[in-house]
């Protein structure tokens, strides 16, 4: 009932907003799909972490942005939690990715055969040398 | 949908029972977890999956097509209780391993010393 | 006071919560626990007086009318059970002072006991099937805590089994409630009693009734769902064992009695016949166990199972004698089991073991204990004029009047086996050549003996003065046999 | 518009099953944790789309909650993999 | 080898604040929108858990010096007390009261005794969850 | 004085015994005790004239009026006779015990308390008109007998005998209770008098035969009839005064009393006659035959008691035949009841004296083994005389009371043989034959008892003690009894008029209305009829057998111990502990898996069969929600997660998969519009996973050892059964949603009356807030449970039985 009233009055704006939402969500969905692809196809845990933490964060932020705009502009419901959620994901995802990566390395999971460089190894040995 | 849900619930119960019959305590505890999932979904299914609106009434407006709120309230209570039991069970497993040195329930027979 | 019937549930809860604030102060723990149970006892006495004069008490919590809110109902049956449970708990608290040990007392022992009482009283009082589940969980959670309290090896081992079985039964309970809700659309017991007769498709209701029987059967330890019980009850120390033996299975029995008289009466030919068969098998299975072990605790533990069978057999007859007998026997059994556990607890302490073969000659050193035990044993076997007799007589009569002639014969014949198992303890522990005993402080012995003797005195009084209780028992049985009284009181039409 | 949401949901669901494959397959525990983390994030997307489809704002709370939980969960798993325990009694010792 | 948790700790400072705010919000929103004391309590607990993950148990104990058992007991008493208030008016147990008030600054607010009950739930949940996690975490 | 309170006089007196024993140690407690039976005896004797006129006395005390249970003391001829026996012989036994039991060494307070308790119980049995209180006293006799047999409780034989007697008599008592309850259901009353008055109506009732058999079980066990007699020989472990009192004169006669009392109710049934007469007669033969195998003096007496009880029992059975013939008062069956009662009196008198003598022999020589005894005639002349009187009376020799009743017994048995009801004409001839053989052996063992003890060669070297005559006080009681034995022979009709005839009236109430109508005159000589020649035969053959006893003694070895009834009891007792233990060990394995298999198997079996039997399965597809694609996807995730758990080799995988399942469930909650549930499920799931990880840090790796394939298949079958059950019941329940849910009410009132918007939350804190209050209680308990579990660790060594 409320929707229909509003749609009549701001039909052009609505269309624009809808296009915005479609763009945001499409981008988000594509990134998410890429994440999945990455997680399935990439060879070792480190590369998969890469896929999971970066593209998926971006993907979900876009989708949340779209949702936020939908509710804010179309349904007139300003939802601060969505904003906070976006900020939250922005802060935490990289940290989480970092933690998993480091944990995997520390627990001795081997790198993929294609790996060319291992800086961490050098750093750790250096530190160990210092401790001795 | 209810038909499919019933089958899935049966499947959950089956998996839970299978796990509970194994000898590893961990698998048993996981089995109890599955069992409570099955039971909760069962309440939901038995309440009917029909409604289209969450059971939240906005300012004086009433829509007739809310889903049945009562099963949800029951599930909520059941979830909390099974959480309490699961935590207890986990700690129990942990303590038993400390004292008895095994997580194999077949080794926890209990000797019938006084017969 | 329309809330009077809630007091036996709320007072223990209140005191248990208060006790959480100072776990290390043993003196305060003891005092508050005793006061809590004592106040609850006072409340129940008032409640019984009120129920006796004014009829069934019902309160719709939160002022929401009956089928919608939760209703707590106190008829004579539930009030009597609440009374027995509270008395027993009070005695167990006293018995715990000398026996349970300072470490346990400082680790939330008394709060757990009071929480258990809350759960038990609540389960006896509630008029809502899902609320019954919640109260079951309260008492189960406290029982988990108590059974493992102290963390000895057998305790841990048996708690796993106990917990697992009860988790399963809880899941089944929730499922059964879900099925019931699906078919009838309500959770209030009185409302169920109104709605179930309106349903013509009794088939599915019978299935649900059987499921509930299984669910409560897990708790009540019916055949063949009792396997968890002997081991689990054997593990904890005596006061906890007494608490369990007296109260826990009885809640299951109560639930079966309530549901099978109030609303699952649509297909009695099937359900109650099944109940009678299961009851008889339970008695037999219990007898085998009671005779099989030479362990004082185990013998009494298996007697719990026998009693459950006897009571359920009475209920399954669904006639006045059977139901009255079941109620009488239920109350008798709660008290006498607690008393017996107290006594064998003392015996076990004196000998430092619960193995019957390593005992003997206690009659020389502790004759008084011997006599008290003997009286209790005869009471257990249903020898008149002790408390087991009127109940058993009525149950047997109910069986003869109903269709279960052979069931009554089995009940009678197994009384002999009950007697044998109980007398065996007397013959081995009290008679025979004296063996070496563990030195025990006189004051400790007296502290253990006094609550035991008082409890035995109560059971003897119930038997000898049965006339004083029969009006109450009859009143309780009347409600069970005429569900309309209950329904009218709850739905207030 | 609805069709678009539906299609999006479908795509994410497929992505979701891809992540599930990784969760099931492993091969190392770390892989599974990564998958679980990504699953949490994908769940957030699914819930967002679902609330668009159902047209109710009541699920939006879940979004923030999910992201919080997914973060805590991942952190806990990471610490578990790395140190074998989750909490340190005292870091300074 | 010990690794430092600088990155985690820095993020935690911000994130914990967000979680706590959200927990309070969800607690108060409970009566009208999804949420309530239970979820609020669990969220609060998870915020503390996050702190424990990032720092260590001793430090967190110093920051939040609660005895969680007492918190549980307080919550229980609060919930029980709220429900029992009706006993003194001789109306059925658990009968709630609510009314709308005009508070300065706040505007028109509904005060519902159910909120107090919910606070009890909240305290119990936080208390128990933290009790469990802390005791297991501290055990050697 | 109210009769009913007199019953309780002994037990009330018993309360003071321990006090007297402790305070006044120098006087033998027995003297105080003696007062009680003497007073009672005198009082009951004053009632004799009442019953001789056919009068009765009734006195009632209500115990549980709601259940219609009361103590009713009803004194008619039969009751009074028994009451006199109980108090009379009781007095003599107490007197005897004063000398028999040493006041310093024995726990006299216990002994006399038991004895007085028994006296009350026995008076209660014979005077109760109420079935339930009769049963009460009945069990009380079993208990006091148990305590008395186990009086020297450190001896193994005593404990064994005590338990045996209690098991058998309590078993009978319980069966009898069953019969009583059946009777009360049939007649709608507990009063024996009222039941007797409606005896003809009871006859056709479906429970009639059952009640009969059950009550007879009670009587037979108590009166040591075949095959239940086995407890009686073992009961001889009791002190001799007890054997004299309980196990010959009174308690064992309770069964006879019961049969006599219920004859008017059951006599109309042929089963009754057959069972009572047949079992009685066979017992008589069996007991007399095996009495000769015994080596123990008291053992011989025990078997002789069994035999004599059988004799009386068969007479009571024969008396029931009086109900089956026209004009019974004119037939010879009228003698049967008279003879039964008469012999009962005789037996009480002579057996009491014989037991006392056996006790004296034991007391003075230190042994009761008949192989070691002999030649005591000259050392203990008075004892010998008394023993001879008793034995001759038992053997049925003229000049002693036993002769008269033996003659009447033979008469009655001969009459049965000629009687042609219930096809007795075919088997009837067996009755006099068995009776005669039994009598012969009775003759032999009577002689065996007295002459092997007192005649022959004295063997002082085999006796533990130097034998000498007993103190005079100990001889008083048996002497009184011996005198009575002779007196009865000379004044049988006085005894008959005063005691026997009023009792016969109670057994055969339809035949007479007054004791005086009973037209029986006992005389020692009644012509040279069949009975007379039979008696002569008994003497001749008996004497022959006795003299040649040494030669045919070996014949008893043909009866091996292994097939005896005692063995049956022993193997029952073995079954009840060792056997039960083994049996129980078969299924009480201690493995949680076995228990779960039983339980799940049972639940599945019962629920599924109920589903089939009640035809409850209905599938209705109309009322279902539509199926969406994304729901299917989540379903696949859920199922996939579950399968991962099942297949998981590493526990971490299993936990993560469990998390995934939990999250899928949360998604279901989202889809099915349950935001609160979704929120809670998500948080709980996360915290649970964290807890899993916390606890698992300490747990070992999942062991690599695989379970056996058979186990796995069994598990899978059970699991599948549970799954199928749940699915089927769920489908059936959903398809039969018959009544509307109560939740419409919540939707309507949540805003207006509860002042909230979120229905689920309002239900939780308001409509069903009570649930929530206790739900958080559960949480709270879990919290303290976990703390105490982790913090409290008691060491097993110091703690199990708290004996510090």
């Amino acid at each position: 009932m409320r929707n229909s009233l509003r749609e009549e009055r701001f039909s052009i704006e609505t269309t624009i907003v809808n296009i915005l939402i479609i763009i945001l969500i499409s981008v988000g969905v594509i990134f998410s799909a890429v994440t999945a692809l990455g997680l399935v196809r990439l060879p070792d845990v480190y590369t998969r972490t890469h896929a999971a933490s970066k593209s998926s964060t971006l993907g979900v932020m876009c989708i949340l942005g779209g949702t936020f705009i939908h509710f804010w502009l179309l349904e007139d419901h300003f939802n601060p939690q969505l904003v906070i959620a976006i900020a939250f994901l922005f802060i935490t995802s990289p940290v989480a990715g970092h933690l998993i990566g480091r944990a995997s390395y520390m627990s001795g999971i081997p790198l993929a055969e294609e790996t060319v460089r291992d800086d961490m190894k050098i750093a750790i040995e250096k530190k160990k040398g210092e401790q001795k | 949908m209810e038909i499919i849900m019933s089958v899935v619930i049966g499947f959950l119960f089956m998996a839970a029972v299978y796990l509970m019959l194994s000898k590893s305590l961990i698998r048993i505890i996981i089995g109890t977890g599955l069992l409570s999932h099955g039971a909760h979904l069962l309440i939901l299914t038995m309440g009917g999956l029909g409604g289209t609106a969450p059971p939240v009434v906005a300012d004086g407006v009433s829509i007739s097509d809310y889903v049945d709120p009562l099963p949800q309230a029951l599930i909520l209570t059941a979830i909390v209780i099974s959480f309490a039991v699961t935590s207890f069970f986990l700690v129990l497993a942990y303590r038993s391993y400390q004292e008895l040195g095994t997580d194999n329930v077949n080794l926890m027979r209990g000797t019938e010393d006084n017969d | 006071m329309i809330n009077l019937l809630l007091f036996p549930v709320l007072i223990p809860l209140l005191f248990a919560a208060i006790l959480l604030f100072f776990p290390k102060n043993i003196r305060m723990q003891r005092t508050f626990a005793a006061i809590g149970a004592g106040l609850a006892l006072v409340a129940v006495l008032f409640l019984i007086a009120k129920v006796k004069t004014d009829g069934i008490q019902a309160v719709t919590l939160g002022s929401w009318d009956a089928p919608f809110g939760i209703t707590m109902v106190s008829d004579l049956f539930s009030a009597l059970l609440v009374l027995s449970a509270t008395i027993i708990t009070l005695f167990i608290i006293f018995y715990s002072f000398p026996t349970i040990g300072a470490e346990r007392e400082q680790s939330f022992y008394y709060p757990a006991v009071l929480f258990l009482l809350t759960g038990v009283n609540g389960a006896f009082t509630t008029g809502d099937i899902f609320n019954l589940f919640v109260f079951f969980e309260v008492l189960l959670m406290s029982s988990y805590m108590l059974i493992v309290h102290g963390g000895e090896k057998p305790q841990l081992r048996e708690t796993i089994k106990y917990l697992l079985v009860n988790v399963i039964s809880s899941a089944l309970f929730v499922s059964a409630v879900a099925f019931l809700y699906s078919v009838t659309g309500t959770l209030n017991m009185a409302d169920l009693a109104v709605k179930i007769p309106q349903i013509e498709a009794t088939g599915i209701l019978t299935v649900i009734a059987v499921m509930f029987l299984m669910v409560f059967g897990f708790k009540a330890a019916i055949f063949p769902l009792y396997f968890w019980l002997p081991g689990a009850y054997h593990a904890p120390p005596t006061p906890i064992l007494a608490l369990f033996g007296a109260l826990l299975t009885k809640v299951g029995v109560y639930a079966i009695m309530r549901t099978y008289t109030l609303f699952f009466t649509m297909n009695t030919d099937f359900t109650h016949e099944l109940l009678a068969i299961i009851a008889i098998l339970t008695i037999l299975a219990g007898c085998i166990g009671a005779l099989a072990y030479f362990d004082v605790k185990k013998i009494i533990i298996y007697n719990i199972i026998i009693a459950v069978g006897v009571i359920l057999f009475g209920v399954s007859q669904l006639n006045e004698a059977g139901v009255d007998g079941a109620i009488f026997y239920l109350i008798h059994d709660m008290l006498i089991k607690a008393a017996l556990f107290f006594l064998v607890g003392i015996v076990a302490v004196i000998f430092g073991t619960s193995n019957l073969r390593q005992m003997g000659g206690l009659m020389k050193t502790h004759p008084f204990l011997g006599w008290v035990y003997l009286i209790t044993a005869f009471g257990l076997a249903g020898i008149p004029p002790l408390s087991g007799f009127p109940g058993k007589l009525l149950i047997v009569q109910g069986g003869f009047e109903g269709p279960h002639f052979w069931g009554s014969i089995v009940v009678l014949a197994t009384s002999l086996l009950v007697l044998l198992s109980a007398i065996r303890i007397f013959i081995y522990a009290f008679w025979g050549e004296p063996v070496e005993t563990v030195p025990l402080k006189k004051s400790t012995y007296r502290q253990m003996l006094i609550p035991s003797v008082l409890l035995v005195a109560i059971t003897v009084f119930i038997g000898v003065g049965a006339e004083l209780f029969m009006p109450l028992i009859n009143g309780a049985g009347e409600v069970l046999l005429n569900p309309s009284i209950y329904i009218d009181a709850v739905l207030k039409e | 518009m609805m069709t678009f949401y539906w299609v999006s949901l479908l795509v994410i669901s497929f992505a979701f099953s891809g992540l599930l494959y990784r969760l099931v397959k492993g091969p190392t525990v770390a892989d599974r944790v990564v998958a679980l983390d990504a699953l949490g994030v994908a769940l957030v997307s699914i819930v967002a789309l679902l609330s668009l489809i159902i047209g109710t704002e009541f699920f939006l709370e879940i979004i923030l909650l999910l992201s919080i939980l997914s973060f805590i969960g991942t952190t806990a798993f990471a610490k578990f993999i790395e140190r074998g325990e989750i909490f340190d009694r005292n870091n300074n010792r | 080898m010990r690794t430092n948790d600088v990155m985690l700790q820095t993020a935690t400072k911000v994130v914990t604040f967000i979680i706590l705010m959200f927990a309070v919000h969800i607690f108060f929103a409970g009566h009208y929108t999804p949420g309530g004391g239970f979820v609020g309590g669990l969220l609060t607990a998870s915020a503390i858990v996050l702190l424990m993950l990032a720092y260590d148990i001793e430090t967190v104990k110093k920051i939040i010096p609660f005895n969680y058992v007492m918190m549980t007991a307080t919550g229980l008493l609060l919930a029980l007390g709220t429900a029992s208030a009706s006993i003194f008016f001789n109306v059925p147990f658990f009968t709630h009261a609510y009314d709308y008030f005009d508070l300065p600054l706040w505007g028109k607010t509904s005060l519902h005794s159910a909120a107090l009950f919910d606070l009890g739930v909240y305290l119990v949940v936080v208390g128990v969850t933290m009790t469990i996690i802390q005791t297991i975490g501290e055990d050697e | 004085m109210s009769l009913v309170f007199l019953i309780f006089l002994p037990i009330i007196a018993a309360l003071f015994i321990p006090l007297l024993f402790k305070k006044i140690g120098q006087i033998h407690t027995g003297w105080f005790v003696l007062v009680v039976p003497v007073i009672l005896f005198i009082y009951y004797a004053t009632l004799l004239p009442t019953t001789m006129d056919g009068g009765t006395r009734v006195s009632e005390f209500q115990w549980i009026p709601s259940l219609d249970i009361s103590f009713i003391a009803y004194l008619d001829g039969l009751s009074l006779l028994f009451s006199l026996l109980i108090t009379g012989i009781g007095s003599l036994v107490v007197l005897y015990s004063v000398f028999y039991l040493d006041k310093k060494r024995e726990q006299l307070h216990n002994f006399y308390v038991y004895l007085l308790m028994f006296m009350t119980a026995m008076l209660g049995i014979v005077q109760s008109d109420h079935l339930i209180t009769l049963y009460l006293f009945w069990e009380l006799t079993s208990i006091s007998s148990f305590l008395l047999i186990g009086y020297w409780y450190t001896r193994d034989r005593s404990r064994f005998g005590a338990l045996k007697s209690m098991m058998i008599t309590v078993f009978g008592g319980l069966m009898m209770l069953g019969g009583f309850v059946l009777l009360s259901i049939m007649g709608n009353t507990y009063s024996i008098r009222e039941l007797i008055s409606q005896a003809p109506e009871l006859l056709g009732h479906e429970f009639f035969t059952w009640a009969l058999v059950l009550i007879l079980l009670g009587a037979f066990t108590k009166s040591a009839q075949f095959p239940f007699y086995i407890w009686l020989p073992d009961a001889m472990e009791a002190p001799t005064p007890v054997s004299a009192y309980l196990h010959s004169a009174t308690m064992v006669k309770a069964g006879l009393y019961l049969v006599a009392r219920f004859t008017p109710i059951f006599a109309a049934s042929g089963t009754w006659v057959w069972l009572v007469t047949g079992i009685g007669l066979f017992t008589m033969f069996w007991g007399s035959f095996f009495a000769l195998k015994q080596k123990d003096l008291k053992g011989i007496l025990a078997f002789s008691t069994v035999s004599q009880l059988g004799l009386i029992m068969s007479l009571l059975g024969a008396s029931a035949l009086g109900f089956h013939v026209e004009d019974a008062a004119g037939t010879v069956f009228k003698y049967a009841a008279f003879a039964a009662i008469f012999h009962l009196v005789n037996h009480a008198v002579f057996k009491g004296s014989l037991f006392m003598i056996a006790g004296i022999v034991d007391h003075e020589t230190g042994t009761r083994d008949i192989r070691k005894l002999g030649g005591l005639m000259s050392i203990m002349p008075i004892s010998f005389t008394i023993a001879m009187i008793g034995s001759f009376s038992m053997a049925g020799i003229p000049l002693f009371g036993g002769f008269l009743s033996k003659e009447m017994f033979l008469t009655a048995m001969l009459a049965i043989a000629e009687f042609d009801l219930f096809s007795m004409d075919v088997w009837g001839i067996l009755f006099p034959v068995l009776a005669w053989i039994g009598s012969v052996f009775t003759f032999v063992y009577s002689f065996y008892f007295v002459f092997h003890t007192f005649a022959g060669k004295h063997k002082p070297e085999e006796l533990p003690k130097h034998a000498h005559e007993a103190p005079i006080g100990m001889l008083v009681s048996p002497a009184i009894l011996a005198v009575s034995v002779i007196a009865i022979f000379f004044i049988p009709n006085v005894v008959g008029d005063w005691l026997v005839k009023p009792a016969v009236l109670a057994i055969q109430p339809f035949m007479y209305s007054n004791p005086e109508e009973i037209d029986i005159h006992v005389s020692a000589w009644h012509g040279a009829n069949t009975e007379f020649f039979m008696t002569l035969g008994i003497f001749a053959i008996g004497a022959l057998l006795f003299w040649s006893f040494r030669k045919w003694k070996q014949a008893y070895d043909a009866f091996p111990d292994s097939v005896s009834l005692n063995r049956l009891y022993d193997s029952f007792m073995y079954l009840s502990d060792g056997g039960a233990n083994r049996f129980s060990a078969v299924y009480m394995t201690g493995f949680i898996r076995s228990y779960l298999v039983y339980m799940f198997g049972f639940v599945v079996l019962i629920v599924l069969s109920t589903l089939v039997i009640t035809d409850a399965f209905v599938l209705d597809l109309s009322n279902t929600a539509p199926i969406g694609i994304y729901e299917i996807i989540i379903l696949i995730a859920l199922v996939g997660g579950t399968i991962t758990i099942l297949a998981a080799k590493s526990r971490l995988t299993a936990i993560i998969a469990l998390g995934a399942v939990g999250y899928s469930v949360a998604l279901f909650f989202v889809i099915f519009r349950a935001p609160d549930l979704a929120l809670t499920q998500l948080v709980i799931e996360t915290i649970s996973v964290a807890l899993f990880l916390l606890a698992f840090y300490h747990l070992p790796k999942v062991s690599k050892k695989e379970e056996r394939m058979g186990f796995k298949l069994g598990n899978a079958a059970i699991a599948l059964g549970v799954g199928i059950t749940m699915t089927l019941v769920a489908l059936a329940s959903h398809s039969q949603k018959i009544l509307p849910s109560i939740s419409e009410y919540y939707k309507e009132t949540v805003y207006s009356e509860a002042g909230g918007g979120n229905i689920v939350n309002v239900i939780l804190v308001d409509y069903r807030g009570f649930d929530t209050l206790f739900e958080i209680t559960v949480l709270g308990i879990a919290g303290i449970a976990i703390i105490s579990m982790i913090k409290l660790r008691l060491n097993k060594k110091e703690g199990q039985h708290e004996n510090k």
Side-chain angles (χ1 to χ4, degrees), chain F residues 55-117:
Chain F
T56 55
R57 289 285 195 89
V58 184
S59 151
E60 182 171 350
F61 167 70
Q62 304 242 317
W63 177 29
I64 315 180
S66 329
L67 294 180
D68 196 20
I69 296 177
S70 47
F71 292 98
I72 306 177
Y74 170 70
L75 264 186
D76 61 356
L78 189 64
S79 306
L80 189 64
L81 168 72
F82 270 92
S83 306
L84 284 170
L85 274 180
I86 293 157
T87 48
I89 298 196
S91 312
L92 296 175
V93 163
V94 172
L95 180 66
Y96 176 76
S97 69
V98 168
F99 299 94
Y100 188 84
L101 293 172
D102 192 291
K103 72 175 175 232
K104 293 210 179 61
R105 277 184 296 146
E106 303 290 348
Q107 297 171 303
L108 290 177
H109 55 305
N110 285 351
F111 180 81
Y112 286 114
V113 167
Y114 305 154
L115 209 64
L116 288 171
M117 186 164 105

Side-chain angles (χ1 to χ4, degrees), chain C residues 85-422:
Chain C
T86 314
I87 290 178
I88 289 167
T89 311
L90 186 61
F91 276 105
I92 283 168
I93 288 171
F94 285 129
Y95 188 81
S96 301
F97 293 167
T99 49
I100 199 76
E103 289 110 325
R104 283 197 170 98
E105 285 180 298
Q106 289 179 332
S107 299
F108 304 110
Y109 169 73
Y110 294 111
V113 171
L114 289 179
F115 276 130
L116 187 85
L117 181 64
T118 307
V120 171
N121 283 351
F124 285 149
T125 316
T126 187
D128 186 282
I129 195 88
F130 189 78
N131 195 237
L132 181 64
F133 165 74
V134 175
F135 276 118
F136 266 25
E137 290 301 323
V138 172
L139 70 92
L140 282 176
M141 200 69 223
S142 336
S143 72
Y144 301 152
M145 168 169 178
L146 285 172
I147 198 171
V148 78
H149 205 240
E152 290 162 4
K153 280 191 179 105
Q155 287 186 310
L156 289 165
R157 199 176 59 212
E158 295 302 334
T159 309
I160 290 174
K161 298 172 190 172
Y162 178 70
L163 180 61
L164 187 52
V165 167
N166 279 303
V167 166
I168 292 166
S169 94
S170 295
L172 282 180
F173 196 162
V174 171
S175 314
V177 169
F179 296 142
L180 192 63
Y181 178 73
S182 171
V183 177
T184 62
T186 185
L187 297 168
N188 186 297
M189 292 196 206
D191 199 30
L192 282 169
V194 173
K195 284 186 175 159
I196 281 180
Q198 299 169 7
I199 297 172
E200 283 169 18
T202 57
I204 185 69
L205 284 171
T206 311
V207 175
I208 293 169
V210 168
M211 273 196 80
F212 269 104
L213 178 62
M214 299 296 121
V215 168
F216 297 140
F218 270 106
K219 263 106 188 163
I222 63 171
F223 179 88
L225 308 175
Y226 71 89
F227 293 98
W228 55 272
L229 186 135
Y233 279 19
H234 192 254
T238 312
I240 298 175
L241 167 60
L243 195 62
F244 283 17
L247 302 184
L248 288 197
T249 51
K250 305 308 180 291
V251 179
V253 174
Y254 164 81
I256 294 178
M257 288 176 80
R258 180 62 82 197
T259 52
Y260 268 58
T261 54
L262 185 59
F263 47 86
F264 285 137
T265 48
M266 59 284 149
N267 192 359
T268 49
D269 285 348
F270 185 85
T271 48
H272 288 64
E273 185 69 27
L274 179 70
L275 183 60
I277 294 169
I278 287 178
I280 293 298
L281 290 174
T282 309
I283 299 177
L284 295 176
C287 282
I288 292 174
L291 296 174
Y293 297 96
F294 270 77
D295 179 296
V296 286
K297 285 183 180 176
K298 274 236 168 106
I299 292 173
I300 311 294
I301 287 170
Y302 273 102
N303 270 299
I304 298 174
I305 298 170
I306 303 176
V308 166
V310 172
I311 297 163
L312 290 182
F313 177 73
V315 180
S316 70
Q317 301 311 310
L318 220 57
N319 52 23
E320 194 189 340
V323 171
D324 283 3
I327 296 169
F328 200 108
Y329 202 81
L330 180 58
I331 292 163
H332 141 80
D333 193 61
M334 289 170 80
L335 293 166
I336 204 135
K337 285 287 146 57
L340 272 172
F341 281 122
F342 281 4
L343 293 170
V344 299
I346 300 177
V347 171
V349 168
I350 291 175
F351 287 110
T353 172
S354 61
N355 187 347
L356 208 46
R357 293 192 208 274
Q358 295 167 14
M359 301 183 177
L362 212 52
M363 208 65 190
K364 278 224 163 55
T365 47
H366 300 80
F368 184 67
L369 182 65
W371 295 126
V372 174
Y373 176 80
L374 195 65
I375 290 173
T376 320
F378 287 137
L380 178 73
I383 302 284
L386 301 169
S387 56
F389 178 68
K392 196 164 263 183
L393 174 71
L394 285 170
I395 288 173
V396 168
Q397 192 185 334
F400 283 143
E401 283 171 2
H404 297 99
F405 179 84
W406 282 108
S408 285
I409 297 286
V410 170
V411 170
L412 281 174
T414 49
S415 299
L416 181 76
L417 301 181
V418 171
L419 182 67
L420 174 61
S421 67

Side-chain angles (χ1 to χ4, degrees), chain F residues 497-528:
Chain F
D497 289 343
W498 287 39
L499 293 173
V500 183
K501 283 182 184 173
V504 168
L505 184 69
I507 302 176
Q508 299 175 323
F510 301 130
M511 288 157 62
Y512 321 99
S513 60
N514 194 301
E516 284 158 22
E517 288 176 22
I518 302 174
D519 164 34
I520 297 173
H521 188 79
V522 190
S523 58
W525 175 250
H526 37 81

Side-chain angles (χ1 to χ4, degrees), chain E residues 81-97:
Chain E
T82 313
S84 308
S86 52
I87 290 176
F88 298 106
F89 300 101
N90 204 24
V91 288
F93 188 70
F94 239 109
T95 306
H96 284 299

